[in-house]
Amino acid sequence: MKKIVSVLMVVVALMVATPAQAQLIKFGLKGGVDMTKLDMDGLKSDNTTGFFIGPMAEVTLPIVGLGIDGAAMFAQRGKGDFKQQGLEIPLNLKYTIGAGSMLGLYLAAGPDFFFNLKDAGAEGVEAKKTQVAVNLGAGLKLLRKLQVGVTYQIPMGDSFEWKDAGNVITAKNKTWQVSLAYIF
């Protein structure tokens, strides 16, 4: 019984000893560049450059290093007739391995929801109104305030349909993102 009480006391002491500034929920601003390659029924396009920016929130369990982050960002990707502008909402499970509070490496994975706000430019090209992708990412947490990351989005469905002379050609956006976040 004494051992159990001693272990509980140590656990409680560790929980109380976490820094006062370690918050469970943190807010910030996230933005970056994305490189999108369009895959049309086996034909791949060149990378096109776009951007994304918006508010983010992060919930982290400080002792475990496990957390969730999400954002609501305006995103623009693609070009020309296959350009998309919309609201992107990534929700990632994030695991952080820290070397103190000043530096940490994180791995992230989760769904990404994209809501298209603009129709495609060419006649016969139909941009899907909603798209779902899976995010796989990694990055660094620096100085408690900055996060630099790289994410790959694997599309779960088509991004575009192009109807030409009775044929339907489908296309998927495969996207790499490089992001910078500032946590308040």
Side-chain angles (χ1 to χ4, degrees), residues 61-82:
L61 301 173
I63 295 174
V64 180
L66 192 62
I68 297 173
D69 81 350
M73 303 180 293
F74 174 78
Q76 177 179 306
R77 54 187 172 202
K79 71 175 184 177
D81 295 337
F82 296 97

Side-chain angles (χ1 to χ4, degrees), residues 8 59 61 99 138 155:
L8 287 174
V59 179
L61 301 173

Side-chain angles (χ1 to χ4, degrees), residues 47-61:
N47 279 334
T48 58
T49 304
F51 68 93
F52 56 94
I53 189 165
M56 69 168 288
E58 182 177 68
V59 179
T60 305
L61 301 173

